[in-house]
Amino acid sequence: MKIAKYIFLLVLLFVITSSILIITKDGSYTVVKSKLIKVPKNTVFNYLAENKNWDVINPWKNTLEKGSLIKQKAFNKDSIAQIILLNTDNEIKTTLKLADSLNYTKISWITKGKMSFKEKFLGIINRGQKNNLADNFEIGLSNLNKILTTEINTFNIKIDGFVNRDTIFYIQKPATCKLEQLPNNIKIILPKLQKLLFVTKRKTNGQPFIIYHSKDTVANTITFSVAIPTKEKVQISAGSDIYSGQNNPFQAVKATLTGNYNHKKEAVAKIFAYMNENKLEQSPKYKEVDIILKNTTTDKSASKWVTEILIPVRPIKPIVKKKPKVIVDSTAVEEEPIME
C-alpha cells in the first residue's frame, strides 16, 4: 500500500509540475517553411495569386482535416496574405513570401498563432497544431514545386509550315501589358467579348485569337488585341472599348505550341529558322496572330494549353545582279586586211 501511495504521489507531483510548466509557458508560436523552386518569381507569384490553383497545392485535400482557402490578397508581386479555414471552426492567417535567389525563387510559407493549454501539452510531444501546420506547409510547398517544374516547364513545339489565312471578321479589345501578364489579360478580356456576342446574338466563326500591334523591348511590354472571329461584321456602338475589325487574306508560317505560353519565344525562334531555310521573310503588311485553342480559361493544367502561332511572310525577292556595261571606243579605226 505504501509503495502504491508513493507512486500515486509521484504521479500527482509530476502532473502538477507539468501543468505549472505548461501554464507558464509562452503559447506564442511561429511556423516558417521554405523551399527553392527553379522557376522565375513572376511565374510563381502569378500561379499562387490565382485562387483556382489552391486545390493543386492544398496540403489538406487528402487528409481528414480539411483546409479551405477563404480569402487571399496579393501585395507588390512578392507576398500573398491568406485566410485558411481548417475543418469548419479554425481560421488561420498565413503569408506566402517570394524572393529571387540566383536562378531560383525562394518561397516561404509563414503563420503565427497562440497555443491553448492542450496545444502546449501536445507540443511537448511534437504534436498539435504548430507541428501539423509545419508538416502541411512542407507538403504544400512540395506540391507547388512539382506542379511548377513539371506542368509549366513541359511543352512541345510543332512547325506546321506554310499556311493561308482567309478573310476574317472579328470583334476585338486592345490592351497593353507585360508579356508574362498576357494569359491573365486573356482570361479577363475574353469573357467580355463572349458576353457581347451573346447579347447581340452574333455567331462566332472559329477560335479566339490575339493580334500583336507593337512591342516595347525597353519596357518589356506588348500592345495587342484579344479577338473573336464572327460570321459577319459586327457594328459596335460609339464610345465602346470593344471594336470591330477585318483582316484580308495573307500567307504565314504556323507553329503549334502545346504548353505554357511562356515558351512562345522558343516557338518563334523555330518559325524564323524555318523561314530562313525556305527563303521567306516576315511581311510588314500584316500582324502576327496567335490562335487560342486551349488556355487558362479552359484548362487548369498549363501543359495542356494549345496555341497556334502565325507569322505573316512573303517570298524573299531574289537579288538581280546587273551585268557590267561594256563601253565601245567609237574612235577606234578598224584596219583593213592587206592584200598580197
Side-chain angles (χ1 to χ4, degrees):
M1 289 294 293
K2 286 184 179 182
I3 295 175
K5 183 178 179 180
Y6 287 139
I7 292 174
F8 172 76
L9 290 174
L10 286 172
V11 171
L12 181 61
L13 180 62
F14 173 78
V15 170
I16 293 172
T17 304
S18 299
S19 298
I20 293 171
L21 289 173
I22 292 171
I23 292 171
T24 57
K25 182 181 178 182
D26 182 14
S28 301
Y29 68 85
T30 300
V31 175
V32 180
K33 284 292 179 179
S34 301
K35 185 171 284 291
L36 292 174
I37 300 176
K38 198 170 185 179
V39 175
K41 190 176 81 169
N42 279 340
T43 302
V44 180
F45 180 87
N46 292 335
Y47 188 85
L48 288 171
E50 289 287 341
N51 288 1
K52 68 179 183 180
N53 291 330
W54 168 251
D55 286 340
V56 177
I57 63 173
N58 182 2
W60 291 278
K61 64 181 178 180
N62 295 321
T63 65
L64 295 175
E65 186 179 32
K66 300 302 178 183
S68 303
L69 182 64
I70 303 302
K71 183 180 179 182
Q72 72 173 12
K73 186 176 181 180
F75 298 93
N76 302 322
K77 292 288 184 180
D78 61 8
S79 64
I80 298 172
Q82 300 176 318
I83 298 178
I84 300 171
L85 179 66
L86 299 180
N87 291 325
T88 58
D89 58 352
N90 185 14
E91 280 191 4
I92 60 169
K93 294 180 179 180
T94 72
T95 302
L96 290 161
K97 288 189 175 293
L98 287 75
D100 287 315
S101 180
L102 295 177
N103 295 323
Y104 291 79
T105 297
K106 181 181 180 181
I107 177 168
S108 300
W109 205 348
I110 307 164
T111 189
K112 295 180 180 180
K114 198 86 172 175
M115 291 184 287
S116 64
F117 178 86
K118 179 182 177 182
E119 290 293 329
K120 291 179 185 179
F121 175 75
L122 292 173
I124 295 175
I125 55 174
N126 292 325
R127 294 290 185 270
Q129 179 164 288
K130 176 184 176 182
N131 295 284
N132 290 342
L133 288 174
D135 292 342
N136 282 302
F137 284 5
E138 185 70 37
I139 293 170
L141 293 177
S142 295
N143 291 343
L144 178 66
N145 182 42
K146 181 180 178 181
I147 197 70
L148 288 178
T149 55
T150 55
E151 278 290 311
I152 291 181
N153 289 331
T154 299
F155 68 99
N156 179 65
I157 298 168
K158 176 189 174 187
I159 297 295
D160 301 296
F162 193 75
V163 297
N164 293 304
R165 179 84 164 164
D166 296 328
T167 299
I168 290 179
F169 297 108
Y170 55 86
I171 59 170
Q172 62 177 326
K173 187 178 187 310
T176 299
C177 71
K178 300 282 188 182
L179 182 60
E180 62 268 16
Q181 296 171 342
L182 183 58
N184 190 53
N185 275 271
I186 294 171
K187 188 182 70 172
I188 295 171
I189 295 173
L190 202 51
K192 294 181 180 179
L193 298 176
Q194 292 168 335
K195 182 179 180 181
L196 175 63
L197 292 178
F198 177 78
V199 170
T200 58
K201 297 181 180 179
R202 301 285 183 171
K203 292 184 178 180
T204 61
N205 189 30
Q207 297 293 336
F209 59 95
I210 303 165
I211 307 167
Y212 291 91
H213 303 299
S214 62
K215 182 177 182 179
D216 186 337
T217 54
V218 176
N220 189 32
T221 59
I222 52 172
T223 299
F224 63 96
S225 289
V226 178
I228 297 180
T230 56
K231 292 280 187 182
E232 56 190 13
K233 190 170 184 177
V234 178
Q235 297 297 328
I236 306 294
S237 59
S240 174
D241 61 350
I242 296 175
Y243 306 92
S244 62
Q246 173 187 342
N247 73 257
N248 295 321
F250 66 86
Q251 296 173 319
V253 172
K254 185 180 86 170
T256 300
L257 168 64
T258 302
N260 191 281
Y261 205 80
N262 293 339
H263 300 291
K264 182 187 171 180
K265 58 183 179 294
E266 289 98 323
V268 170
K270 288 194 174 186
I271 289 177
F272 277 100
Y274 178 91
M275 288 164 56
N276 289 333
E277 290 173 9
N278 291 274
K279 295 182 171 56
L280 300 168
E281 63 183 3
Q282 187 170 4
S283 171
K285 187 177 179 180
Y286 301 99
K287 304 290 185 182
E288 180 184 335
V289 170
D290 291 351
I291 302 172
I292 308 166
L293 302 183
K294 293 182 181 180
N295 76 328
T296 182
T297 63
T298 59
D299 284 271
K300 288 184 179 181
S301 175
S303 64
K304 296 178 181 177
W305 296 354
V306 180
T307 308
E308 292 180 345
I309 302 164
L310 281 75
I311 295 183
V313 295
R314 65 184 181 187
I316 296 176
K317 293 180 180 179
I319 299 173
V320 179
K321 293 183 178 179
K322 293 182 179 180
K323 293 182 179 180
K325 189 175 181 180
V326 178
I327 301 174
V328 179
D329 187 356
S330 60
T331 62
V333 178
E334 185 177 352
E335 294 183 359
E336 293 183 0
I338 299 174
M339 300 294 293
E340 292 187 1

